[in-house]
Amino acid sequence: MMTECSNNNDNNNNNNNNNNNNKVQIDRTIFNNKPDIIILDYEMRTYMLTDVAISGDRNVTNKEAEKVLKYKDLTIEIQRIWKVKTMVIAVIIGATGTISKSFRKYVSYIPGNHELKELQRTALLGTAHLLRKVLTLRYNGVNAGTSDIRTMNS
């Protein structure tokens, strides 16, 4: 299987002047033409637009539907121009590891071996890291407005 992968986040931090290289090149204006990852499979003639997000646990299904609809116009244009099968892969995990019913299906389209437990663990560790960082700032009085511990605990 001959695949090519393009990660649109790689160049964002290093080269802001060359921002147009990350967009999918099409002949008309579509605002949502910059998915997180693009996977091309030359043998199967498929073009996979992958968008990744960590959302609140209650919004996993809604966020998944939002991502699929977000790239609908782009999918139609790619199919029209390049005559390839195009699909949107929405990889959405809740902040505590919650997944939707279709999560496994979406992940199975991505080449390679992906352990569900590892993906959930990564999301959970990221959430714990952010909470630790915010709570440490509050405890040290940076955003608390006071150094009184009793005020911060209420």
Side-chain angles (χ1 to χ4, degrees):
M1 177 160 117
M2 176 101 171
T3 59
E4 180 179 325
C5 185
S6 169
N7 184 345
N8 285 336
N9 291 329
D10 287 346
N11 294 330
N12 286 350
N13 296 333
N14 300 334
N15 193 359
N16 289 331
N17 296 333
N18 202 6
N19 206 14
N20 288 335
N21 287 344
N22 295 334
K23 295 179 181 178
V24 177
Q25 298 299 315
I26 51 177
D27 59 359
R28 70 181 192 120
T29 303
I30 293 179
F31 294 107
N32 297 317
N33 66 347
K34 194 175 172 186
D36 292 335
I37 303 167
I38 301 168
I39 302 170
L40 306 171
D41 186 343
Y42 293 109
E43 291 176 7
M44 299 296 291
R45 294 197 40 84
T46 58
Y47 202 97
M48 294 177 261
L49 308 173
T50 308
D51 219 1
V52 180
I54 305 294
S55 76
D57 289 334
R58 292 181 177 208
N59 295 328
V60 170
T61 308
N62 294 341
K63 183 62 81 172
E64 190 175 272
E66 176 187 316
K67 296 288 186 182
V68 171
L69 288 174
K70 178 179 178 180
Y71 294 110
K72 186 69 176 166
D73 291 339
L74 182 59
T75 301
I76 293 168
E77 278 301 300
I78 291 171
Q79 288 173 343
R80 182 184 68 81
I81 294 171
W82 292 314
K83 310 286 191 259
V84 294
K85 180 181 175 189
T86 307
M87 65 175 64
V88 176
I89 300 172
V91 180
I92 313 297
I93 301 179
T96 60
T98 306
I99 60 170
S100 69
K101 291 179 181 178
S102 55
F103 181 81
R104 285 182 176 89
K105 178 186 76 168
Y106 282 128
V107 171
S108 71
Y109 292 134
I110 301 172
N113 187 16
H114 309 285
E115 287 286 329
L116 176 62
K117 288 181 183 178
E118 281 300 310
L119 295 172
Q120 289 175 313
R121 182 175 180 259
T122 302
L124 189 56
L125 288 174
T127 300
H129 175 74
L130 286 173
L131 280 172
R132 208 174 296 116
K133 189 174 182 179
V134 169
L135 293 175
T136 301
L137 287 175
R138 289 204 75 130
Y139 181 75
N140 289 333
V142 174
N143 288 331
T146 181
S147 60
D148 187 7
I149 269 287
R150 288 172 287 163
T151 308
M152 285 186 271
N153 286 336
S154 57

